[in-house]
Amino acid sequence: MDILKRFKRAFRAITRDELKTAQRFDGARFNPSDAGTWAHVDNLSYDAANDSATRARIRARARYVVVNNAYASGAAQAIANSCVGTRPRLQLSAQELPAEVLSMIEGDFMEWLDAVDLPAKLRAARFARFVDGETFLILFDNQDLKTSSGVRLDVQAIDAERVAGTVFDAPNEVDGITLNPYGYPVSYRILDQHPGALNGLKLFGEATLYDASRVLHWFDKRFPEQHRGTSELAPALELFALIDRYSKAVVQASETAADVALIFKTDAVDDPGAYSIQPPQGGDSPFCQIPWARGMTITAPEGWDAKQVTAEQPSASYSMLVNEVLAQIGSALGVPKLLMKNSAENYNYSSARVDLQQFQIKTRLDRRSLVSTVLNPLFRAWLEEYSAIVGRSFNVRSEWYFDGFFHVDPLKEANASAARLNSLLSTLSDEWGARGLDWEQQLTELAREKAFISDLEKKYNIKLQPI
């Protein structure tokens, strides 16, 4: 009988409240002390939470911070310049096409790239993606563009707020972007004028509908059903404001301590003669200001005491707080403190190398996103027009190379590169590409230089230092 009772108790039905308590996570509990922390939590979709009004407010604040905060401006420039560099370089490959044809296409495309000043537009686009959270580039025909290939394709970067929906968006629309059932863009509604332009809007905010093939939308997609970007500065906006407030407070305290500021006081409040210090221009005597010249000495009347105003100077804690806040900001932005401060102070070789390697990983991911979202679609559009002009289609594979990263110790990096090649763990394409160079062009140049040196040695019967 006892065994049966114990069996029933072990497998008795668990009430609903007991089940909730047993399975509850600490982060899901309704703790009164944490009510303020979770007061603004909601279950909205990312697009609903990141609606046009929210994006506009964050975007405006992020732009203000970048314009007025040196750390934010430096981080934005570092990210944009590192991602794009001087310019991306195209290398084509195709089994059925000779190298001369591929070189001709590459040369014509790079000429077009310089003609439309694409590197500057890409840096501006990356800067805008960092500040605004997204950037849009429109492909259009520029009849005034002059290139030897005859291609008239051009690209224009526009501000994110120009892509806007109507008051009543359809279920398949997200603030100006029409989506197919699988979430891919079909068209973009772009305002003909900037909503904040000084010359005013056209009547009722007139807009043009662009096919998705003519618009490149570049943003950091972090959620599966996210269709508009949010400023990358969003997690750090209040931290930048904290640095500004604290810096101004420290400077104010230092200035107050450096100035000669005195307070005259007396306990003889009932003695009319106590107010023998006359205020300038007949002000109220108990709370008046007296001009004080540099190097000036005065005497106080009977019954008055002078006390200098002192201000605490948090100079010791200032650098500690700024360093900690910059570390938090850098963590949110993917920028090491070394670049946030633009200084290697207190860094050694190993720590600087580790920090820069993490930033290089972020830069490589940015470049991969740039290639897939912007450069490849842009090259396909260019190649389509180019093929129509020359009357021949080209089935080519494109690879993009960017500026290489500077190594802290170039000799160690060169030895490592040679070791990888000798052990067959790398290729010339990989090694030259890591430096942002085309391996075929570099080998051709090396062969030309070696032949030139050989001719000089034969001509003058000398031995030059081999390359």
Side-chain angles (χ1 to χ4, degrees), residues 162 164 189-192 204-209:
R162 283 188 59 188
R189 181 180 181 272
I190 300 178
L191 298 176
D192 295 339
F204 303 117
E206 294 180 359
T208 302
L209 200 64

Side-chain angles (χ1 to χ4, degrees), residues 280-303:
Q281 301 177 355
D284 292 334
S285 56
F287 300 99
C288 66
Q289 293 182 351
I290 301 176
W292 185 276
R294 182 175 298 176
M296 176 180 175
T297 301
I298 64 173
T299 59
E302 183 69 24

Side-chain angles (χ1 to χ4, degrees), residues 121-256:
K121 294 177 180 179
L122 293 179
R123 284 190 291 268
R126 184 62 186 93
F127 193 96
R129 198 194 102 170
F130 176 79
V131 180
D132 300 345
E134 57 187 347
T135 188
F136 296 86
L137 298 102
I138 302 177
L139 308 184
F140 67 99
D141 294 326
N142 184 358
Q143 296 301 319
D144 297 327
L145 184 63
K146 305 298 182 184
T147 59
S148 60
S149 63
V151 174
R152 298 290 182 261
L153 177 69
D154 205 341
V155 58
Q156 176 192 10
I158 63 172
D159 288 327
E161 52 264 47
R162 283 188 59 188
V163 180
T166 59
V167 178
F168 303 102
D169 281 343
N172 64 330
E173 294 179 358
V174 179
D175 198 19
I177 305 177
T178 303
L179 307 172
N180 66 13
Y182 302 101
Y184 290 98
V186 175
S187 63
Y188 292 84
R189 181 180 181 272
I190 300 178
L191 298 176
D192 295 339
Q193 282 186 314
H194 194 289
L198 295 178
N199 57 351
L201 283 172
K202 290 186 177 181
L203 186 62
F204 303 117
E206 294 180 359
T208 302
L209 200 64
Y210 287 80
D211 187 81
S213 62
R214 307 300 293 178
V215 180
L216 306 177
H217 184 195
W218 189 22
F219 68 103
D220 185 13
K221 187 171 183 178
R222 300 187 178 185
F223 295 88
E225 296 188 54
Q226 175 186 356
H227 298 99
R228 295 295 298 262
T230 309
S231 173
E232 297 177 27
L233 281 169
L237 289 177
E238 293 188 359
L239 295 177
F240 282 116
L242 174 62
I243 292 180
D244 287 340
R245 293 198 308 270
Y246 191 60
S247 298
K248 293 175 182 178
V250 170
V251 172
Q252 182 63 47
S254 300
E255 291 178 346
T256 302

Side-chain angles (χ1 to χ4, degrees), residues 10 12 30 58 78 107 148 209 224 228 258 267 290 293 324-325 354 377 387 396 423 436 462:
R12 64 184 176 85
F30 295 97
I58 294 177
S148 60
L209 200 64
R228 295 295 298 262
D267 294 331
I290 301 176
E324 287 300 318
V325 174
V354 170
S387 300
V396 295
S423 58
I462 59 174

